[in-house]
Amino acid sequence: MSAIPVIDMAPLEGSDADRDSVAAAIDRACRETGFFCVVGHGVPPELVASVDGLAREFFARPEEEKARIAMPHGGRAWRGWFPLGGELTSGRPDWKEGVYFGEELGADDPRVRTRLPLHGANLFPEQPAGLRDAVLEYIDAVTGVGHRLLRGVSRALGLDDDWFDRHLTETPTILFRIFRYPPLPADTRAWSVGEHTDYGLLTILAQDAHGGLEVRGPDGWVAAPPVPDAFVVNLGDMLERMTGGRYRSTPHRVRNPGGADRLSMPLFLDPAWDAEVRPIPGGPRRDLAHDMDRWDGASVHEWSGTYGDYLFAKVAKVFPALVDDVIA
Ligand code: OGA
Ligand code: NI
């Protein structure tokens, strides 16, 4: 039995009592593990399979072809492909390659006009040709799942269902990534991705059948094994900050011990770039004991500012070479 609960989110569209029961399950999962799986999310399995298949086709193309959409071409929008070893989590290179996408924003969007980092147009490869439409449809569908889940989180916190919509996620920061994790070389004990927490509100992850994701539960590391047609959901630092530590931004890591490539696709649904993220009104006090031992030694409770400031500082650590480009 996995320690990661599976929650059917379909009743979030039902009666008050239905919503209360989902909210109670969400509340328990957020307090205990900060990780859960959702089913009943309404995203067609064919859409997930199509993005997965097209992404595998892309990763199999020659390096020089993939390099045509390499991240330096994405500029301040911070989009595109990076090669194996190109991203540093916890200061060490991850054993993965990937593509960064986000909400597709044109030059006329106010956030692009004011030159906000991480906002702009995606870079799509010419081949496979279907990747663009599949990715955009996927981002739309899974962003919708995230907004619906946040209504459940609001209810779980005793707030109005639309609290997040009104305060933090009317114009959310949406990032979407597709990763390929090759088997780890046999002579290394490194992680495919080292221990870290996510930065924002909710991460909604589709993983293939391979396994390898591990979560730091209250009693030690536990596996988050694949559940067919489910998304893995975990909380980011902003939810931990807002709830004074009642909800957990749980450390996690990935290890692909071998056999075959592992593919995963996380979508990050985060606060608006200029939103100030504060503890929620009437919320609990911070839990000092818990933030003593954070992976990065930094407390999310002592920091204050806009979500954009927080995210930018974090991303600068995992892609140091790109910062000059953006600050320039
Ligand atoms: C992440 C992450 C896990 C995975 O991108 O933040 O933790 O399974 N990904 O790819
Ligand atoms: Ni993560």
Side-chain angles (χ1 to χ4, degrees):
M1 260 260 309
S2 165
I4 313 292
V6 178
I7 298 177
D8 178 5
M9 63 179 281
L12 280 176
E13 311 311 306
S15 66
D16 257 356
D18 287 342
R19 291 185 214 180
D20 281 342
S21 76
V22 181
I26 290 177
D27 184 58
R28 197 174 320 118
C30 292
R31 280 186 285 111
E32 287 172 3
T33 46
F35 262 80
F36 49 98
C37 289
V38 289
V39 295
H41 48 67
V43 178
E46 302 77 38
L47 177 58
V48 183
S50 145
V51 179
D52 175 294
L54 291 161
R56 284 176 203 272
E57 275 183 53
F58 171 71
F59 288 127
R61 311 288 302 186
E63 293 263 315
E64 62 272 16
E65 191 183 312
K66 293 188 277 190
R68 283 186 216 142
I69 61 155
M71 290 189 81
H73 297 299
R76 56 197 305 120
W78 227 308
R79 309 291 166 91
W81 173 77
F82 67 87
L84 205 56
E87 177 167 355
L88 309 167
T89 300
S90 324
R92 304 186 56 190
D94 299 334
W95 200 245
K96 68 182 192 217
E97 74 169 304
V99 196
Y100 272 52
F101 300 102
E103 186 180 3
E104 176 76 1
L105 297 175
D108 56 340
D109 186 278
R111 292 168 286 174
V112 180
R113 276 213 305 258
T114 54
R115 294 173 53 78
L116 290 190
L118 279 69
H119 291 74
N122 287 299
L123 298 179
F124 292 107
E126 277 172 34
Q127 297 298 332
L131 186 68
R132 178 197 163 90
D133 288 355
V135 162
L136 292 178
E137 189 181 342
Y138 184 98
I139 290 175
D140 248 28
V142 179
T143 300
V145 171
H147 283 298
R148 277 182 276 138
L149 271 174
L150 280 178
R151 298 175 74 84
V153 174
S154 290
R155 188 169 274 252
L157 289 168
L159 303 167
D160 294 339
D161 286 2
D162 63 354
W163 192 91
F164 282 92
D165 303 330
R166 284 190 289 114
H167 290 91
L168 293 176
T169 51
E170 198 193 336
T171 52
T173 306
I174 305 286
L175 297 173
F176 173 54
R177 299 164 184 180
I178 304 180
F179 295 131
R180 180 182 75 88
Y181 298 94
L184 279 169
D187 59 346
T188 167
R189 280 176 295 152
W191 295 91
S192 307
V193 176
E195 175 179 351
H196 68 282
T197 56
D198 297 345
Y199 312 136
L201 294 171
L202 292 181
T203 304
I204 303 163
L205 174 96
Q207 61 172 337
D208 70 9
H210 197 79
L213 176 61
E214 296 181 11
V215 173
R216 197 167 133 190
D219 306 314
W221 289 95
V222 294
V227 174
D229 296 333
F231 292 109
V232 179
V233 177
N234 65 282
L235 312 184
D237 294 343
M238 293 304 108
L239 265 171
E240 175 157 337
R241 170 172 168 74
M242 293 170 60
T243 61
R246 173 180 168 90
Y247 284 1
R248 305 199 52 210
S249 173
T250 310
H252 50 283
R253 64 190 184 188
V254 176
R255 179 176 168 79
N256 179 1
D261 283 353
R262 170 179 190 267
L263 213 88
S264 79
M265 312 196 285
L267 182 135
F268 302 89
L269 173 60
D270 294 353
W273 187 263
D274 56 5
E276 286 233 22
V277 183
R278 300 190 192 89
I280 51 174
R285 286 297 187 60
R286 56 180 285 210
D287 171 357
L288 270 172
H290 170 61
D291 64 73
M292 296 292 285
D293 63 344
R294 258 179 66 100
W295 64 283
D296 56 359
S299 169
V300 287
H301 305 288
E302 266 147 32
W303 159 86
S304 71
T306 63
Y307 181 62
D309 294 336
Y310 186 80
L311 181 59
F312 188 77
K314 294 286 187 184
V315 176
K317 283 200 178 133
V318 293
F319 285 108
L322 282 176
V323 176
D324 300 344
D325 202 40
V326 173
I327 288 172

